[in-house]
Amino acid sequence: MIMPAAEALHGAHIVIIGGGSGIGRATALAVRKQGASVTLVGRSLEKLEAVAREIGGANVRVADIVDRKAVEAVFAGLLVVDHLVITAGSLGGGKLAESDPDDLLAAISERISGPLYAIKAVMAAMPSTGSIVLTGGQFSDRPSGDGVAVVAAAVRGVEALARSLALELKPIRVNVIAPGFVETPLFDALGAETRSAVLAGAAAALPRGRIGQPGEVAEAITFLLTNTYMNGEVLHIDGGGRLV
Ligand SMILES: NC(=O)c1ccc[n+]([C@@H]2O[C@H](COP(=O)([O-])OP(=O)(O)OC[C@H]3O[C@@H](n4cnc5c(N)ncnc54)[C@H](OP(=O)(O)O)[C@@H]3O)[C@@H](O)[C@H]2O)c1
């Protein structure tokens, strides 16, 4: 039986790795409103607890997604996980001429190795009706010369990973959310002035004329979770950013 989308998450247990801020936090808010229970995972307990309070209660687990043992420990105590959403990721990047390649490869660890550890660890707890949402990004289609080469490779890899895993894990669904510029704490690492300049510049160039909001991306993630025929898909939510 196909449940109405508004009821599909009622009583579901959703693990959100990266749920302590930005898109993950907004997703936690959205799915809680639909009656899901949530386990929030990230590196900062303080951030996770703040979101848990905000959404009226959640399990919180501290883990760095690139630490396999820590990720396995998160899932060891979870009997049923209906959906897994992974939004963990940091800004990183840098131009190759000015960077140590090993530092740049952290983007691959966060977006490929980490999700592999998490998906392997969640398998035993996920029913056949379950689904996984990974996070890609606009740089997959629209790279820039600003030091995002390895991030672009990583997010392109996320798309390939999702499509293959949709076959391997069938009938569990595996999809990718691919945001463009979204106003989140991700850019705080740039410092206030550069952050404002980067986001204002991006907004001016976008067909939509503004930066996206985390709630808009959360709405798209909720769609990927609840539409039971979406599978192996990359859902772009970028204000038209790939067109310019
Ligand atoms: N915002 C954008 O414009 C944009 C555009 C395209 C793609 N994305 C991608 O969307 C995802 C979410 O970004 P966001 O904008 O929501 O950023 P955000 O507000 O910084 O949220 C990212 C979350 O992931 C957690 N995290 C980061 N590295 C982690 C790790 N190694 N292990 C576990 N948790 C980790 C962070 O918490 P802790 O620091 O506590 O771990 C944080 O709560 C990222 O993968 C980002 O690359 C964002």
Side-chain angles (χ1 to χ4, degrees):
M1 191 182 79
I2 299 174
M3 287 232 251
E7 294 169 28
L9 296 180
H10 194 84
H13 176 213
I14 303 178
V15 175
I16 305 174
I17 307 182
S21 70
I23 294 166
R25 167 184 164 271
T27 303
L29 277 164
V31 300
R32 277 291 283 163
K33 273 191 191 142
Q34 295 200 19
S37 67
V38 173
T39 296
L40 301 167
V41 185
R43 295 169 301 185
S44 154
L45 179 62
E46 202 183 341
K47 281 201 255 178
L48 298 172
E49 285 183 337
V51 176
R53 280 193 298 276
E54 189 183 1
I55 67 175
N59 300 318
V60 297
R61 306 277 169 105
V62 174
D64 186 326
I65 196 165
V66 302
D67 178 343
R68 182 172 178 176
K69 285 205 172 348
V71 171
E72 286 169 354
V74 164
F75 290 97
L78 302 179
L79 295 180
V80 177
V81 178
D82 294 288
H83 301 282
L84 170 64
V85 178
I86 303 181
T87 62
S90 41
L91 204 52
K95 291 189 179 176
L96 183 56
E98 298 151 13
S99 310
D100 182 331
D102 286 330
D103 293 339
L104 298 180
L105 286 168
I108 305 277
S109 303
E110 274 184 351
R111 290 170 180 81
I112 304 288
S113 311
L116 271 187
Y117 300 150
I119 293 168
K120 173 82 177 168
V122 81
M123 277 181 197
M126 187 168 280
S128 60
T129 50
S131 84
I132 296 166
V133 176
L134 305 178
T135 303
Q138 183 180 307
F139 291 141
S140 170
D141 293 298
R142 293 291 294 165
S144 81
D146 297 330
V148 299
V150 182
V151 175
V155 291
R156 193 62 154 189
V158 167
E159 296 174 6
L161 186 69
R163 281 193 282 264
S164 290
L165 288 179
L167 297 174
E168 274 192 38
L169 305 182
K170 66 183 185 184
I172 287 169
R173 299 178 297 111
V174 187
N175 291 296
V176 175
I177 188 78
F181 281 94
V182 184
E183 193 174 354
T184 71
L186 183 75
F187 299 100
D188 290 355
L190 298 174
E193 209 172 309
T194 310
R195 177 194 158 95
S196 299
V198 165
L199 294 183
L206 283 168
R208 195 66 186 85
R210 64 167 175 81
I211 298 299
Q213 291 301 310
E216 293 173 310
V217 184
E219 201 175 306
I221 291 174
T222 306
F223 171 71
L224 291 175
L225 296 176
T226 54
N227 186 299
T228 48
Y229 212 53
M230 285 296 279
N231 197 14
E233 192 54 86
V234 179
L235 183 56
H236 301 278
I237 176 150
D238 58 12
R242 283 170 309 134
L243 308 176
V244 291

